[in-house]
Protein backbone atom coordinates (compact mmCIF):
# COMPACT_ATOMS: atom_id res chain seq x y z
CA UNK A 1 0.00 0.00 0.00
CA UNK A 2 2.93 2.37 0.56
CA UNK A 3 3.80 2.44 -3.12
CA UNK A 4 0.15 3.03 -4.03
CA UNK A 5 0.02 5.89 -1.52
CA UNK A 6 3.08 7.50 -3.11
CA UNK A 7 1.52 7.15 -6.55
CA UNK A 8 -1.73 8.75 -5.39
CA UNK A 9 0.20 11.58 -3.76
CA UNK A 10 1.96 12.12 -7.09
CA UNK A 11 -1.39 12.23 -8.88
CA UNK A 12 -2.64 14.78 -6.33
CA UNK A 13 0.43 16.95 -6.97
CA UNK A 14 0.07 16.70 -10.76
CA UNK A 15 -3.59 17.71 -10.61
CA UNK A 16 -2.60 20.68 -8.43
CA UNK A 17 -0.10 21.78 -11.07
CA UNK A 18 -2.73 21.25 -13.77
CA UNK A 19 -5.15 23.49 -11.88
CA UNK A 20 -2.57 26.28 -11.77
CA UNK A 21 -1.95 25.90 -15.50
CA UNK A 22 -5.68 26.01 -16.26
CA UNK A 23 -6.06 29.10 -14.07
CA UNK A 24 -3.19 30.92 -15.79
CA UNK A 25 -4.44 30.09 -19.26
CA UNK A 26 -8.00 31.19 -18.52
CA UNK A 27 -7.25 34.30 -16.42
CA UNK A 28 -3.59 35.15 -16.91
CA UNK A 29 -3.01 34.53 -13.18
CA UNK A 30 -2.01 31.22 -11.55
CA UNK A 31 -3.96 32.07 -8.38
CA UNK A 32 -1.00 31.77 -6.00
CA UNK A 33 -1.06 34.22 -3.10
CA UNK A 34 0.57 32.44 -0.17
CA UNK A 35 4.15 33.40 -1.06
CA UNK A 36 3.37 37.08 -0.58
CA UNK A 37 2.41 36.45 3.05
CA UNK A 38 4.89 37.64 5.67
CA UNK A 39 6.82 34.94 7.55
CA UNK A 40 5.46 34.35 11.04
CA UNK A 41 1.96 35.62 10.27
CA UNK A 42 -1.08 33.50 11.09
CA UNK A 43 -1.67 32.77 7.42
CA UNK A 44 2.00 31.79 7.03
CA UNK A 45 1.79 29.28 9.89
CA UNK A 46 -1.52 27.90 8.62
CA UNK A 47 -0.25 27.48 5.07
CA UNK A 48 3.00 25.76 6.01
CA UNK A 49 1.22 23.59 8.54
CA UNK A 50 -0.96 22.28 5.75
CA UNK A 51 1.94 21.96 3.31
CA UNK A 52 4.18 20.04 5.71
CA UNK A 53 1.23 17.93 6.78
CA UNK A 54 0.55 16.84 3.20
CA UNK A 55 4.22 16.01 2.64
CA UNK A 56 4.46 14.07 5.90
CA UNK A 57 1.29 12.06 5.24
CA UNK A 58 1.67 11.61 1.50
CA UNK A 59 5.44 11.12 1.21
CA UNK A 60 7.23 10.64 4.54
CA UNK A 61 4.73 8.11 5.92
CA UNK A 62 4.87 5.74 2.91
CA UNK A 63 8.67 5.97 2.85
CA UNK A 64 8.76 5.21 6.57
CA UNK A 65 6.54 2.20 5.90
CA UNK A 66 8.86 0.97 3.15
CA UNK A 67 11.86 1.32 5.45
CA UNK A 68 10.25 -0.80 8.15
CA UNK A 69 8.21 1.47 10.45
CA UNK A 70 5.46 -0.64 11.96
CA UNK A 71 1.82 0.41 11.47
CA UNK A 72 -0.40 1.35 14.38
CA UNK A 73 -2.14 -1.86 15.36
CA UNK A 74 -5.50 -0.19 15.98
CA UNK A 75 -5.65 1.01 12.35
CA UNK A 76 -3.85 -1.87 10.65
CA UNK A 77 -6.55 -3.88 8.91
CA UNK A 78 -6.97 -4.91 5.23
CA UNK A 79 -10.50 -3.53 5.13
CA UNK A 80 -9.34 -0.17 6.51
CA UNK A 81 -6.57 -0.02 3.91
CA UNK A 82 -9.05 -0.81 1.14
CA UNK A 83 -11.46 1.85 2.38
CA UNK A 84 -8.53 4.25 2.63
CA UNK A 85 -7.63 3.67 -1.01
CA UNK A 86 -11.19 4.41 -2.10
CA UNK A 87 -11.34 7.55 0.06
CA UNK A 88 -7.99 8.78 -1.25
CA UNK A 89 -9.03 8.39 -4.89
CA UNK A 90 -12.42 10.00 -4.25
CA UNK A 91 -10.86 12.85 -2.27
CA UNK A 92 -8.23 13.61 -4.91
CA UNK A 93 -10.80 13.75 -7.70
CA UNK A 94 -13.22 15.77 -5.56
CA UNK A 95 -10.47 18.27 -4.70
CA UNK A 96 -9.77 18.90 -8.37
CA UNK A 97 -13.48 19.17 -9.22
CA UNK A 98 -14.11 21.65 -6.38
CA UNK A 99 -11.12 23.74 -7.48
CA UNK A 100 -12.49 23.90 -11.01
CA UNK A 101 -15.91 24.88 -9.65
CA UNK A 102 -14.41 28.10 -8.24
CA UNK A 103 -13.50 29.27 -11.72
CA UNK A 104 -11.66 32.60 -11.81
CA UNK A 105 -12.15 33.08 -8.05
CA UNK A 106 -9.87 30.18 -7.14
CA UNK A 107 -6.88 31.19 -5.04
CA UNK A 108 -4.30 29.60 -2.77
CA UNK A 109 -3.82 32.07 0.05
CA UNK A 110 -5.51 35.39 0.72
CA UNK A 111 -4.61 38.80 -0.66
CA UNK A 112 -6.46 41.38 1.45
CA UNK A 113 -6.49 43.84 -1.47
CA UNK A 114 -8.42 41.50 -3.77
CA UNK A 115 -12.15 41.15 -4.21
CA UNK A 116 -13.22 37.95 -5.95
CA UNK A 117 -16.72 36.68 -6.72
CA UNK A 118 -18.44 34.86 -3.84
CA UNK A 119 -18.90 31.31 -5.15
CA UNK A 120 -22.08 29.64 -3.88
CA UNK A 121 -22.86 27.22 -6.70
CA UNK A 122 -21.88 23.62 -7.50
CA UNK A 123 -20.34 21.86 -4.47
CA UNK A 124 -20.40 25.21 -2.62
CA UNK A 125 -24.15 24.76 -2.26
CA UNK A 126 -23.44 21.86 0.10
CA UNK A 127 -20.48 23.16 2.11
CA UNK A 128 -18.59 26.46 2.21
CA UNK A 129 -15.17 24.84 1.86
CA UNK A 130 -15.55 21.80 -0.40
CA UNK A 131 -11.89 21.92 -1.48
CA UNK A 132 -10.69 21.52 2.09
CA UNK A 133 -13.36 18.89 2.78
CA UNK A 134 -12.08 16.89 -0.18
CA UNK A 135 -8.46 17.32 0.94
CA UNK A 136 -9.43 15.95 4.37
CA UNK A 137 -11.00 12.95 2.65
CA UNK A 138 -7.97 12.34 0.45
CA UNK A 139 -5.44 12.47 3.28
CA UNK A 140 -7.62 10.49 5.65
CA UNK A 141 -7.56 7.84 2.95
CA UNK A 142 -3.78 8.03 2.62
CA UNK A 143 -3.46 7.75 6.41
CA UNK A 144 -5.56 4.59 6.42
CA UNK A 145 -3.51 3.18 3.53
CA UNK A 146 -0.26 3.64 5.49
CA UNK A 147 -1.48 3.77 9.10
CA UNK A 148 1.72 4.59 10.97
CA UNK A 149 2.46 7.33 13.50
CA UNK A 150 4.06 9.52 10.82
CA UNK A 151 0.88 9.54 8.73
CA UNK A 152 -1.29 10.30 11.75
CA UNK A 153 0.99 13.20 12.75
CA UNK A 154 0.87 14.60 9.22
CA UNK A 155 -2.90 14.33 9.06
CA UNK A 156 -3.17 16.13 12.40
CA UNK A 157 -1.01 18.96 11.00
CA UNK A 158 -3.33 19.22 7.98
CA UNK A 159 -6.37 19.47 10.23
CA UNK A 160 -4.85 22.13 12.47
CA UNK A 161 -3.44 24.19 9.58
CA UNK A 162 -6.71 24.07 7.68
CA UNK A 163 -8.77 25.11 10.69
CA UNK A 164 -6.45 28.08 11.22
CA UNK A 165 -6.60 29.07 7.56
CA UNK A 166 -10.37 28.81 7.25
CA UNK A 167 -11.54 30.13 10.63
CA UNK A 168 -8.92 32.81 11.28
CA UNK A 169 -7.88 33.93 7.77
CA UNK A 170 -10.33 33.12 4.99
CA UNK A 171 -13.70 33.46 6.71
CA UNK A 172 -12.90 36.89 8.26
CA UNK A 173 -11.58 38.07 4.88
CA UNK A 174 -14.64 36.88 2.93
CA UNK A 175 -16.93 38.34 5.57
CA UNK A 176 -15.23 41.73 5.34
CA UNK A 177 -15.30 41.60 1.55
CA UNK A 178 -18.86 40.37 0.93
CA UNK A 179 -20.70 41.43 4.09
CA UNK A 180 -24.29 40.27 4.38
CA UNK A 181 -24.09 38.24 1.17
CA UNK A 182 -21.57 35.98 2.89
CA UNK A 183 -23.21 35.94 6.32
CA UNK A 184 -26.55 34.97 4.76
CA UNK A 185 -24.84 32.21 2.78
CA UNK A 186 -22.86 31.02 5.81
CA UNK A 187 -26.03 30.86 7.92
CA UNK A 188 -27.46 28.30 5.48
CA UNK A 189 -24.42 26.22 4.51
CA UNK A 190 -22.04 24.27 6.75
CA UNK A 191 -18.30 24.90 6.94
CA UNK A 192 -16.85 21.49 6.01
CA UNK A 193 -19.87 19.18 6.32
CA UNK A 194 -23.46 19.85 5.24
CA UNK A 195 -25.39 21.60 8.01
CA UNK A 196 -22.47 21.67 10.46
CA UNK A 197 -20.65 24.91 11.27
CA UNK A 198 -23.29 27.29 9.98
CA UNK A 199 -23.09 30.90 11.12
CA UNK A 200 -25.42 31.56 14.07
CA UNK A 201 -27.83 34.47 14.18
CA UNK A 202 -25.77 36.29 16.82
CA UNK A 203 -22.66 35.96 14.64
CA UNK A 204 -24.53 37.28 11.60
CA UNK A 205 -25.37 40.45 13.47
CA UNK A 206 -21.74 41.15 14.40
CA UNK A 207 -19.99 43.83 12.34
Amino acid sequence: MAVAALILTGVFALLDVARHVIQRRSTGDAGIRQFSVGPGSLQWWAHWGMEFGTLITGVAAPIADLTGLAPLEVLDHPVARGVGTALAVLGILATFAAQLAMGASWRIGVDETERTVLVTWGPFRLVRNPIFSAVFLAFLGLTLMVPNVVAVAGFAAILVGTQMQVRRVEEPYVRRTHGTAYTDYASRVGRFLPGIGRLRSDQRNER
Side-chain angles (χ1 to χ4, degrees):
M1 279 293 181
V3 173
L6 286 171
I7 291 172
L8 288 174
T9 299
V11 171
F12 186 90
L14 287 174
L15 288 177
D16 186 57
V17 171
R19 181 65 186 100
H20 286 295
V21 171
I22 292 169
Q23 187 78 358
R24 182 174 289 281
R25 287 184 175 178
S26 61
T27 68
D29 183 344
I32 300 173
R33 299 292 181 270
Q34 75 269 29
F35 296 121
S36 62
V37 176
S41 67
L42 182 63
Q43 185 174 180
W44 186 88
W45 282 109
H47 167 73
W48 288 110
M50 290 185 288
E51 289 294 318
F52 281 118
T54 59
L55 287 173
I56 291 168
T57 302
V59 179
I63 290 175
D65 181 272
L66 291 171
T67 56
L69 180 64
L72 296 170
E73 187 175 349
V74 68
L75 298 175
D76 187 23
H77 193 281
V79 173
R81 291 178 186 257
V83 170
T85 303
L87 292 178
V89 171
L90 178 61
I92 290 167
L93 296 177
T95 299
F96 188 62
Q99 290 174 335
L100 291 177
M102 286 199 74
S105 293
W106 179 70
R107 298 287 187 275
I108 292 182
V110 169
D111 180 348
E112 292 283 350
T113 66
E114 278 190 300
R115 181 184 176 91
T116 57
V117 173
L118 178 62
V119 179
T120 60
W121 53 83
F124 292 84
R125 292 178 298 178
L126 303 175
V127 292
R128 303 199 302 274
N129 300 281
I131 296 172
F132 287 127
S133 298
V135 169
F136 290 157
L137 194 66
F139 283 88
L140 172 60
L142 290 171
T143 300
L144 292 174
M145 289 177 69
V146 189
N148 56 39
V149 66
V150 177
V152 172
F155 186 61
I158 294 170
L159 292 177
V160 172
T162 301
Q163 291 288 344
M164 289 172 59
Q165 178 71 15
V166 170
R167 293 173 181 266
R168 301 295 301 278
V169 178
E170 295 191 2
E171 287 186 349
Y173 159 73
V174 178
R175 191 170 182 177
R176 288 192 299 270
T177 302
H178 294 284
T180 56
Y182 175 73
T183 57
D184 289 345
Y185 166 64
S187 70
R188 302 190 308 271
V189 179
R191 181 177 283 113
F192 298 113
L193 295 171
I196 299 176
R198 291 180 295 181
L199 201 65
R200 302 189 307 270
S201 58
D202 58 327
Q203 293 174 307
R204 290 179 61 190
N205 294 329
E206 294 175 0
R207 290 293 184 268

